[in-house]
Amino acid sequence: MRRRDFITAAAVTSAAPSPQAADGAPIGFALGSGALHGWAHVGIVRGCARIGLKPAAIAGSNVGAAIGALWAAGLGAAEIVEVARRLKWESGSGAISALLGARRRNDALREEIERAVGGRRIAELPIPFATAASDALSGDSVVVDAGPVALAVEASCAAPVWNEPVPIANRRLLDGSLTAPVPVAAARKLGARRIVAVDVAYRPYEEAPTSASDYAFQAMHILTNALAREQTRQAEHVIKLDVHHLMRRQLDVDALIDAGEAALVQLAPKLLAK
């Protein structure tokens, strides 16, 4: 799995919340970008179920938006895995065609998410939810916390060059990872008082670049990681996973999910302690 795949592939994944830590403070989750590393987010879902913790709010960026939407809709880890395996993440007809203007909307992602959440709007989800996206014209980070769930997810996952910007509320939105790779501020906006930031991004030190294109993507990863560090400083709890080795030669979905679950369970005493 080469680093260039990070923009051509990704995994998948309000009623009054019952979910609170033992100290009474509502806990929200900020699920970060990371393409196929995002399978680890499914482990976060499974880990929360294991320790009996329901989130008060969920915000997601890129793959975190996809998995977060399914989680906020009430799907469990096993159901999220089923949806994720049906998704087809494609780059169109290739990089050259994309650069020549062959961008397209990610209809497959939007339609699969829409089926999985029953066509609901964000306000209809049992857990408060939002996605992070980036305004293609102003460069602003945008929190999408209203409207169709599937459209919000598509906007957060709209990879630059490969996908067209997604029009929402008079904005043209692209990939949330450009401005909010770990959307702590979005989770805070939803009312969570304690945030668990989950950072599963590719790290520049995880694979040495060997070509000009590799160095180009390396540069983008350096910027993404720098921004993620700044954003996770605003969270009360941080789960930072280095998982690229679990997919370098062959994607090991089970190992990625296990890594997320183990990290959440390890954090559980701090989350649940009075």
Side-chain angles (χ1 to χ4, degrees):
M1 181 70 181
R2 303 297 299 171
R3 62 178 41 78
R4 63 179 62 90
D5 293 333
F6 92 103
I7 62 172
T8 66
V12 222
T13 121
S14 297
S18 54
Q20 293 185 355
D23 64 359
I27 293 181
F29 282 78
L31 304 182
S33 61
L36 290 172
H37 294 186
W39 280 106
H41 287 319
V42 181
I44 299 296
V45 177
R46 196 166 72 186
C48 282
R50 178 174 166 183
I51 68 172
L53 176 65
K54 296 181 180 179
I58 301 167
S61 182
N62 188 268
V63 63
I67 291 179
L70 301 175
W71 193 13
L75 278 68
E79 295 170 300
I80 293 173
V81 168
E82 292 180 6
V83 175
R85 290 190 185 281
R86 289 197 297 269
L87 284 170
K88 292 181 175 62
W89 295 78
E90 300 169 345
S91 59
S93 55
I96 298 300
S97 295
L99 291 172
L100 293 175
R103 298 173 303 163
R104 63 177 185 171
R105 293 281 296 274
N106 197 337
D107 296 327
L109 169 66
R110 184 181 66 255
E111 291 166 3
E112 191 61 54
I113 295 293
E114 186 168 18
R115 280 192 292 270
V117 303
R120 281 178 284 182
R121 299 176 72 83
I122 291 175
E124 298 171 323
L125 297 179
I127 298 174
F129 173 69
T131 71
S134 305
D135 190 310
L137 301 181
S138 70
D140 293 336
S141 181
V142 178
V143 176
V144 183
D145 57 3
V149 174
L151 191 65
V153 171
E154 182 194 7
S156 189
C157 295
V161 180
W162 269 265
N163 295 127
E164 295 179 5
V166 177
I168 296 180
N170 298 319
R171 291 180 181 267
R172 295 179 61 76
L173 302 181
L174 285 171
D175 196 335
S177 66
L178 298 173
T179 54
V182 187
V184 174
R188 192 84 68 191
K189 182 180 178 182
L190 293 174
R193 287 168 50 198
R194 291 170 61 193
I195 308 297
V196 180
V198 186
D199 179 5
V200 299
Y202 170 84
R203 315 295 171 204
Y205 51 75
E206 289 188 289
E207 188 173 349
T210 59
S211 67
S213 61
D214 281 353
Y215 275 104
F217 286 109
Q218 183 83 335
M220 190 163 185
H221 284 300
I222 289 170
L223 294 172
T224 297
N225 276 268
L227 184 53
R229 284 194 297 272
E230 290 299 316
Q231 293 176 339
T232 55
R233 288 192 181 108
Q234 308 305 314
E236 285 70 28
H237 308 283
V238 179
I239 293 175
K240 183 177 179 180
L241 295 172
D242 291 357
V243 294
H244 192 68
H245 64 283
L246 299 175
M247 53 183 292
R248 184 175 290 115
R249 293 184 179 179
Q250 182 175 353
L251 176 64
D252 191 338
V253 168
D254 291 335
L256 286 163
I257 294 174
D258 289 345
E261 180 179 11
L264 190 284
V265 171
Q266 184 176 13
L267 186 61
K270 293 182 179 179
L271 296 178
L272 302 178
K274 293 185 179 180

